[in-house]
Amino acid sequence: MGSKTLITIKPLYHNQTKLVAIHFEPDETVKHYIQAFSDVKWTETYKTFYTTFHKERINQLFRYFRKKGWYVNYDAFKTITEQPEAPVLKKPEIINKLPPLIDEQVAQTLQFKRWLEQKRFSENTVNTYVEVTALFLRYLNLKKIDTITSRSIEQFNYDFIFNAQKSVSYQNQCISGIKHYFNFKNIVVEAFEIKRPNKDKKLPNVLSKVEVKSLFDSTQNLKHKTLLSIVYSAGLRIGEAINLKLIDIDFERGLIHIKAAKGRKDRYTLLSTGLIPLLHTYIKHYNPKVLMFEGRFGEPYTQVSARQVLKKSLLNAGIKKYATLHTLRHSFATHLLESGTDIRYIQELLGHSSPKTTMIYTHVSTTSLRDIKNPFDNL
């Protein structure tokens, strides 16, 4: 093996998210070494190991594999064009000019990541905060700024976020990520206050009951149907569904115990009586050990795989309406409201901290709208 081993890393795009696929000739030693790298997972859909992508990930992988004396082919990242996740930038040169992190900064961002993980932030939040912090540090390198001041932060916000036409949500993530980095490094910046812009108030997409039934009927794979069914029937976030354990399902009481959900809160939600036969069939067939939905190596089923499942089912059902896995949660809440369930109970089932969050479903429910007499009908 030794220097003859070749590792090829290539971009892997899924749902406009850029990942890093890791390819190699079958070898158990190589496989175990890859699995030992932080944040590496297996995708059954693409039959490859992969990890999340950020600006320093390629350098990290290169150094990691070179420790073994292996060849690393990363040519695909030299020519690949980034898929835009936001509107076209007004000043793309700002991003293009950002220099790489120095070794000390790379080490700091890795320590920052571990610090965030110990605070039990979600995986997505950790990756986002680390990425935006790395961009901020690279911006400081570009401007040759040694001491962080409120002025440098405001300038980064203006050049990299405002002028680049980044979304309001992304701007808020940047502010949060940088502030957490300051806490991690015990950095105090006087008069640092960037106002968080209000998010656009968009109504959620909702599938009708007919569309939901069609979605399930067109899903033939037992695991896929069970996953989509439990997400909808219990109003789960996808992260809650893929981390669900067998012991969390109380068949006798007809409840599902959701543990350490968003905000590290526990809650109970509904276990549909109509879902129980499907669950028993699924458990008997797949015999899951701990997690309800296990991947190839007994790890949690990945969100990437779950999104691919929904995409295929929507296509098979002929549903052209834009929908995500979270759309099933929105649909669950809306259908409960339309059937007369009190908004306070829906809030508890969804695990919302504030009733204001749940009230958005009153704007997409058709029950009250059907009772309104349209003036056109009286013309």
Side-chain angles (χ1 to χ4, degrees):
M1 192 168 54
S3 61
K4 295 182 180 180
T5 299
L6 173 63
I7 305 294
T8 303
I9 53 179
K10 297 180 179 180
L12 174 63
Y13 288 101
H14 184 75
N15 288 348
Q16 295 185 337
T17 299
K18 187 176 181 181
L19 306 170
V20 182
I22 306 172
H23 302 281
F24 63 100
E25 290 297 322
D27 185 291
E28 285 299 309
T29 302
V30 176
K31 185 180 80 171
H32 292 320
Y33 190 70
I34 291 174
Q35 288 176 308
F37 186 85
S38 175
D39 198 30
V40 162
K41 297 179 182 177
W42 171 267
T43 165
E44 186 65 27
T45 302
Y46 298 103
K47 304 293 184 182
T48 184
F49 286 102
Y50 73 95
T51 182
T52 52
F53 174 83
H54 55 76
K55 299 301 182 182
E56 298 306 312
R57 180 64 83 199
I58 307 307
N59 289 333
Q60 293 170 2
L61 288 170
F62 181 83
R63 290 193 295 267
Y64 183 71
F65 292 125
R66 287 301 295 164
K67 289 180 181 179
K68 290 288 187 179
W70 299 342
Y71 291 119
V72 183
N73 181 350
Y74 59 98
D75 290 345
F77 283 94
K78 296 178 182 178
T79 57
I80 194 70
T81 301
E82 284 278 358
Q83 289 189 351
E85 297 182 358
V88 178
L89 306 180
K90 288 182 178 179
K91 294 186 177 181
E93 67 275 5
I94 293 294
I95 298 177
N96 295 337
K97 289 180 179 179
L98 290 180
L101 296 175
I102 61 176
D103 290 342
E104 181 183 356
Q105 291 171 329
V106 172
Q108 288 175 353
T109 55
L110 290 176
Q111 292 170 3
F112 178 46
K113 180 178 181 181
R114 288 193 289 269
W115 183 79
L116 291 170
E117 290 171 340
Q118 291 171 5
K119 287 188 171 295
R120 304 298 180 91
F121 285 102
S122 70
E123 180 181 351
N124 289 338
T125 300
V126 169
N127 291 333
T128 299
Y129 284 178
V130 171
E131 181 179 354
V132 298
T133 299
L135 289 172
F136 175 63
L137 295 176
R138 292 172 63 199
Y139 180 83
L140 297 181
N141 293 346
L142 173 68
K143 298 295 185 179
K144 295 181 173 55
I145 297 174
D146 296 323
T147 303
I148 300 176
T149 64
S150 59
R151 172 62 181 164
S152 60
I153 300 168
E154 292 165 358
Q155 193 63 37
F156 169 77
N157 179 66
Y158 184 82
D159 287 344
F160 187 76
I161 302 175
F162 179 76
N163 272 353
Q165 294 184 340
K166 295 289 187 179
S167 68
V168 169
S169 177
Y170 186 80
Q171 179 170 345
N172 286 333
Q173 288 175 331
C174 283
I175 296 172
S176 295
I178 293 171
K179 283 189 172 182
H180 278 94
Y181 180 74
F182 288 171
N183 290 335
F184 164 68
K185 294 288 292 181
N186 291 320
I187 298 174
V188 178
V189 179
E190 295 182 1
F192 167 45
E193 186 60 41
I194 296 178
K195 179 176 172 56
R196 295 173 181 266
N198 295 325
K199 292 183 179 180
D200 297 333
K201 295 183 179 180
K202 296 181 179 179
L203 295 178
N205 286 342
V206 172
L207 297 177
S208 68
K209 291 183 179 179
V210 173
E211 288 172 324
V212 172
K213 185 177 186 304
S214 175
L215 182 73
F216 296 152
D217 290 344
S218 64
T219 307
Q220 302 303 317
N221 182 283
L222 178 59
K223 177 183 281 189
H224 297 171
K225 176 177 287 191
T226 306
L227 174 63
L228 296 180
S229 297
I230 204 167
V231 169
Y232 167 75
S233 66
L236 303 183
R237 302 176 180 93
I238 185 54
E240 297 168 349
I242 62 179
N243 288 296
L244 192 66
K245 296 180 180 179
L246 280 170
I247 60 174
D248 296 334
I249 299 180
D250 191 334
F251 288 99
E252 292 187 5
R253 298 174 63 201
L255 296 172
I256 300 176
H257 191 183
I258 308 301
K259 300 175 181 177
K262 189 174 182 180
R264 297 195 291 275
K265 295 183 299 182
D266 286 10
R267 75 178 190 279
Y268 281 99
T269 187
L270 305 177
L271 172 61
S272 168
T273 55
L275 180 64
I276 291 177
L278 180 63
L279 283 176
H280 284 319
T281 302
Y282 167 78
I283 293 172
K284 182 178 180 180
H285 185 273
Y286 283 93
N287 191 29
K289 305 302 181 185
V290 178
L291 295 171
M292 178 61 68
F293 302 102
E294 296 176 340
R296 185 171 183 177
F297 301 108
E299 298 177 348
Y301 206 63
T302 67
Q303 293 193 23
V304 173
S305 298
R307 294 188 190 103
Q308 194 69 19
V309 166
L310 177 65
K311 183 178 179 180
K312 182 178 179 180
S313 295
L314 288 169
L315 183 64
N316 291 340
I319 298 175
K320 297 182 179 180
K321 182 186 298 183
Y322 177 76
T324 65
L325 289 164
H326 214 67
T327 301
L328 296 179
R329 176 174 157 92
H330 291 321
S331 302
F332 164 79
T334 304
H335 296 162
L336 280 178
L337 185 63
E338 291 177 342
S339 65
T341 305
D342 191 289
I343 193 75
R344 292 171 296 179
Y345 294 136
I346 299 175
Q347 177 189 347
E348 291 295 325
L349 293 173
L350 295 179
H352 288 163
S353 299
S354 169
K356 292 181 179 179
T357 307
T358 317
M359 287 297 291
I360 192 173
Y361 298 111
T362 63
H363 298 287
V364 294
S365 170
T366 61
T367 302
S368 57
L369 295 178
R370 283 197 298 263
D371 295 335
I372 301 174
K373 188 67 175 178
N374 194 309
F376 185 85
D377 297 338
N378 295 325
L379 295 180

Tab-separated table of all heavy atoms in Angstrom, residues 39 41 92 118 276:
chain	number	residue	atom	x	y	z
A	39	ASP	N	-16.179	14.029	10.768
A	39	ASP	CA	-17.316	14.421	9.932
A	39	ASP	C	-17.398	13.639	8.623
A	39	ASP	O	-17.963	14.121	7.648
A	39	ASP	CB	-17.259	15.930	9.638
A	39	ASP	CG	-18.611	16.462	9.169
A	39	ASP	OD1	-19.627	15.906	9.586
A	39	ASP	OD2	-18.623	17.420	8.374
A	41	LYS	N	-18.953	10.550	6.488
A	41	LYS	CA	-20.115	9.667	6.509
A	41	LYS	C	-20.173	8.884	5.202
A	41	LYS	O	-19.508	9.218	4.232
A	41	LYS	CB	-21.402	10.471	6.705
A	41	LYS	CG	-21.467	11.214	8.035
A	41	LYS	CD	-22.746	12.013	8.150
A	41	LYS	CE	-22.786	12.791	9.478
A	41	LYS	NZ	-23.996	13.624	9.584
A	92	PRO	N	-18.140	40.024	-7.040
A	92	PRO	CA	-17.574	38.705	-6.773
A	92	PRO	C	-16.097	38.748	-6.451
A	92	PRO	O	-15.562	37.819	-5.874
A	92	PRO	CB	-17.832	37.949	-8.082
A	92	PRO	CG	-17.952	39.025	-9.126
A	92	PRO	CD	-18.579	40.178	-8.426
A	118	GLN	N	-19.286	20.916	21.863
A	118	GLN	CA	-19.444	20.671	23.291
A	118	GLN	C	-20.614	21.458	23.874
A	118	GLN	O	-21.179	21.074	24.903
A	118	GLN	CB	-18.152	21.023	24.025
A	118	GLN	CG	-16.999	20.073	23.719
A	118	GLN	CD	-15.673	20.544	24.281
A	118	GLN	OE1	-15.620	21.544	24.994
A	118	GLN	NE2	-14.609	19.839	23.955
A	276	ILE	N	-49.064	2.346	13.004
A	276	ILE	CA	-48.524	1.250	13.810
A	276	ILE	C	-48.298	-0.038	13.007
A	276	ILE	O	-47.224	-0.655	13.127
A	276	ILE	CB	-49.435	0.993	15.032
A	276	ILE	CG1	-49.322	2.189	16.001
A	276	ILE	CG2	-49.056	-0.303	15.738
A	276	ILE	CD1	-50.233	2.080	17.211
